[in-house]
Amino acid sequence: MNPTHLETLLALVEEGSFEAAAAALGVSPSAVSQRVKAMERDAGRVLVRRTSPVGVTDAGEVLVQAARRMALLQAEAESQLSGRLERVPLSVAVNADSLATWFRPVFAAAAAWGDVALRLRVEDEAHTLALLRRGDVIGAVTREPRAVSGCEVVGLGVMRYRAVATPELRARYSTHEGMDWAHMPALRFGPTDALQDDDLTGRLGRRVPRRRRISHVPSSEAFVEAARAGLGWALLAEPQARPLLLARELVALDDQVLEVPLYWQCWRLESRVLGQLTDAVVAAAAEIN
């Protein structure tokens, strides 16, 4: 594998276009195009999808992961020679609830390592693994206990969720049989929020109405505020729900507690910085246990 070609492929994925990659590398877009064609010729297959933003094929994903590994090892080698880290790119996938609660001490830990760059990708914990498989990130907080090929897994603990709403919303949709889950307005983080949908399916089975009043709020902080405003009932992580329940701004809709086990998956690589990142994530996650 040509290191220059791998660097070019990584720049394409990170910058999103041939022009932006060329600017980042300090070469012309034509040079970037020629390098990609040379890579594809050597590989005997298409590696890059000429879309906007640029994407990669399955074969391209393999090379992107190799490029990220090379970049990390190269940065660490240079730091050992120069005595300091110039720039170590640490791309991490994390779900919004974790980022808003227990994950934040990782920032302080990373700040003490030198000129380390953190690049966070926020995705539902059921989808972060796809980013790891594609080589878009070197580590991910995920629900999946089975290791991705070339990765190692560390258990982080269990995130607990409660179904909550404002007292007014609970009163309005209470019946003699319990909550009217089928008709009560609901909050979802986004269209891929399987956690909330699976929870409701578990409560109603096949009786979940196709058309319901669902508000999508793709921000963890705004999601909490929407619940406080009475826009709908929500599954909130216990660290977010606890102070609002104590203040009676929100109330629990039942006694059920949804437990979601979390895992840290990262590349199996002899890297000091990656080891420090893993230690920092595991230490921060001790908050949720």
Side-chain angles (χ1 to χ4, degrees):
M1 291 180 287
N2 185 312
T4 301
H5 291 173
L6 289 178
E7 181 186 24
T8 301
L9 180 62
L10 189 55
L12 261 176
V13 170
E14 291 185 341
E15 302 298 333
S17 72
F18 281 76
E19 292 74 16
L25 294 170
V27 300
S28 67
S30 175
V32 172
S33 180
Q34 289 172 9
R35 291 175 186 178
V36 170
K37 289 178 181 177
M39 268 191 298
E40 293 179 329
R41 184 174 60 250
D42 292 343
R45 65 190 75 184
V46 175
L47 301 174
V48 175
R49 295 192 180 96
R50 275 70 171 176
T51 54
S52 182
V54 168
V56 291
T57 63
D58 290 346
E61 288 175 2
V62 174
L63 292 182
V64 168
Q65 189 171 114
R68 289 197 187 280
R69 291 173 184 265
M70 184 184 74
L72 178 60
L73 291 176
Q74 181 179 348
E76 287 198 324
E78 289 174 354
S79 75
Q80 290 176 15
L81 292 174
S82 66
R84 67 188 187 92
L85 291 170
E86 293 296 335
R87 175 179 173 273
V88 178
L90 299 175
S91 300
V92 175
V94 59
N95 60 304
D97 292 340
S98 293
L99 185 59
T101 54
W102 64 266
F103 191 87
R104 293 184 177 186
V106 175
F107 300 152
W113 302 335
D115 296 331
V116 171
L118 276 183
R119 293 184 178 178
L120 298 184
R121 296 282 298 272
V122 180
E123 289 284 350
D124 181 84
E125 63 272 21
H127 297 88
T128 52
L129 214 59
L131 298 175
L132 192 62
R133 288 194 181 99
R134 289 202 306 263
D136 291 347
V137 297
I138 65 173
V141 176
T142 175
R143 295 188 213 169
E144 180 54 60
R146 292 171 297 182
V148 169
S149 177
C151 293
E152 59 185 21
V153 184
V154 180
L156 295 178
V158 175
M159 184 74 95
R160 294 174 178 85
Y161 292 82
R162 298 290 302 271
V164 298
T166 60
E168 295 77 15
L169 201 63
R170 184 179 67 173
R172 193 182 315 154
Y173 288 92
S174 292
T175 72
H176 65 280
E177 296 179 351
M179 298 306 305
D180 184 3
W181 299 101
H183 298 97
M184 184 166 46
L187 296 178
R188 297 290 180 269
F189 192 79
T192 61
D193 189 356
L195 186 69
Q196 304 266 17
D197 291 334
D198 291 347
D199 176 78
L200 187 60
T201 301
R203 297 173 190 275
L204 296 178
R206 296 182 179 180
R207 296 180 293 114
V208 176
R210 291 186 179 180
R211 294 184 179 180
R212 294 184 297 121
R213 217 172 105 199
I214 300 176
S215 298
H216 290 175
V217 186
S219 157
S220 189
E221 290 80 4
F223 190 85
V224 174
E225 288 305 309
R228 289 180 64 194
L231 189 59
W233 74 274
L235 276 181
L236 283 189
E238 280 196 337
Q240 294 174 307
R242 192 177 301 116
L244 298 173
L245 291 171
L246 290 173
R248 298 294 294 172
E249 292 185 62
L250 296 176
V251 291
L253 298 179
D254 56 25
D255 295 329
Q256 292 187 37
V257 177
L258 177 63
E259 295 189 341
V260 178
L262 296 179
Y263 301 88
W264 169 249
Q265 291 213 29
C266 65
W267 292 349
R268 189 181 299 114
L269 191 65
E270 289 297 324
S271 162
R272 177 179 58 84
V273 173
L274 186 53
Q276 288 177 316
L277 176 62
T278 295
D279 291 343
V281 171
V282 171
E287 247 185 62
I288 66 175
N289 298 321

